[in-house]
Amino acid sequence: MIRIFACLLSLAATSCSAALGSPEHKSGANGLRIVSINPCVDSILMHVADHSQIAGISHYSQDPRATSIPIAQAMQFKATSGTAEEVVALAPDLVIAGAHVAPSTIAALKRMHIALLQLSVPETIAENRDQITQIAKAIGHADRGKQLNARIDAAIAAAHTTQPTIPALIWQGGGLVPGDGTLASVLLQRAGFHNLSGDYGLKKWDVLPLEYLVARSPRVLFTVGDDTGLDRMVSHPVIGQLSGNIALRPYPERLLHCGGPTIIDAVAELARARRSL
């Protein structure tokens, strides 16, 4: 550990790379060590990577409130908060991250000649499919990426309905609503709902005041909050008075922010709600 940090601080890229690449640090069927610093990437790796390839995951995946994978599974891996020191200490060959990475971490990875793959939040099913393919190829398991994409496509197809669409909203704590241009909105549509966000004139991610919700209510309100799916705004007495016209359905927060295999559970949840009406 001391030698690792000494290398990082001295920025001796050549000698450090040799030290960190020694056989005792290598793992995985193809000798590739991967560190993910994004919880959405973590969930994909659980399906396409060898267990021994995963040198580290995001600390969010070990937080019950933020994880997109089972906690028991997440606890099998080392977790980091994404700092340069933590990531380099795990001696990865490849780091996979979201769009936002600390400049110090990027600089350290470049100096240590550690590959970095950055991925944005997918906004369409096609983008999600491409990202899974990209990750699977990068870690040497393209076939597993194809298999995961096939499972996701099958889940989306199973959620499809020919019935008329039903006006709906996904409403987070504080009234935050995913609108057009988000993956959440796409999944709503695939499951037979019409996302009312655009009808209110809201942007991609915007806040819908309670007054607007009362003036023009959706048929279904998917509530994202605590374990019950309710928060201060959803439990407002006014919403209770509208309960005869609005169907409240809790929507787990873990289904809202990630693509990848999370889509399978998300469309199944939405399809169940659609059938319950």
Side-chain angles (χ1 to χ4, degrees):
M1 183 67 71
I2 294 176
R3 181 172 59 169
I4 291 172
F5 285 112
C7 289
L8 178 61
L9 293 174
S10 65
L11 306 181
T14 302
S15 60
C16 289
S17 295
L20 297 178
S22 57
E24 64 268 24
H25 285 108
K26 291 296 182 181
S27 64
N30 56 6
L32 186 71
R33 288 175 61 84
I34 308 156
V35 169
S36 165
I37 55 177
N38 181 281
C40 298
V41 173
D42 294 346
S43 66
I44 295 175
L45 289 179
M46 297 300 125
H47 292 262
V48 302
D50 292 336
H51 185 286
S52 56
Q53 285 184 297
I54 304 173
I57 62 175
S58 165
H59 69 102
Y60 290 110
S61 288
Q62 295 184 348
D63 182 346
R65 299 166 297 177
T67 186
S68 292
I69 59 179
I71 288 294
Q73 186 177 30
M75 297 306 293
Q76 297 175 22
F77 302 95
K78 293 182 180 178
T80 79
S81 59
T83 65
E85 293 82 1
E86 290 176 295
V87 172
V88 172
L90 294 175
D93 301 296
L94 172 66
V95 175
I96 309 180
H100 304 290
V101 181
S104 58
T105 299
I106 294 177
L109 295 178
K110 286 183 178 179
R111 289 169 183 141
M112 301 299 292
H113 301 289
I114 297 172
L116 172 64
L117 174 60
Q118 284 186 266
L119 301 167
S120 59
V121 176
E123 296 178 346
T124 66
I125 293 170
E127 287 181 11
N128 181 75
R129 186 181 296 111
D130 290 343
Q131 287 191 3
I132 291 175
T133 299
Q134 191 174 0
I135 292 172
K137 285 184 177 180
I139 67 174
H141 294 299
D143 56 331
R144 296 179 189 175
K146 292 178 181 178
Q147 293 168 7
L148 178 56
N149 276 327
R151 289 173 52 212
I152 293 171
D153 289 343
I156 293 172
H160 176 72
T161 177
T162 58
Q163 298 297 316
T165 57
I166 295 176
L169 279 178
I170 297 177
W171 212 35
Q172 269 189 286
L176 188 63
V177 172
D180 292 339
T182 64
L183 184 59
S185 183
V186 171
L187 298 183
L188 269 176
Q189 295 167 19
R190 291 300 185 96
F193 295 99
H194 167 62
N195 188 358
L196 276 182
S197 174
D199 295 43
Y200 294 110
L202 301 181
K203 300 176 183 177
K204 182 182 292 187
W205 282 98
D206 213 340
V207 174
L208 178 66
L210 183 60
E211 293 78 9
Y212 285 72
L213 183 67
V214 172
R216 185 174 183 176
S217 304
R219 175 68 182 87
V220 183
L221 187 64
F222 290 98
T223 60
V224 182
D226 56 24
D227 291 340
T228 65
L230 301 176
D231 70 3
R232 176 178 57 83
M233 291 183 69
V234 177
S235 59
H236 193 283
V238 173
I239 298 297
Q241 295 172 15
L242 295 173
S243 60
N245 299 320
I246 298 179
L248 296 179
R249 296 290 186 272
Y251 194 71
E253 187 170 5
R254 68 178 183 84
L255 302 181
L256 185 60
H257 302 295
C258 291
T262 305
I263 290 178
I264 297 173
D265 291 337
V267 291
E269 187 78 19
L270 294 171
R272 278 193 294 271
R274 178 67 177 77
R275 290 192 297 269
S276 73
L277 301 173

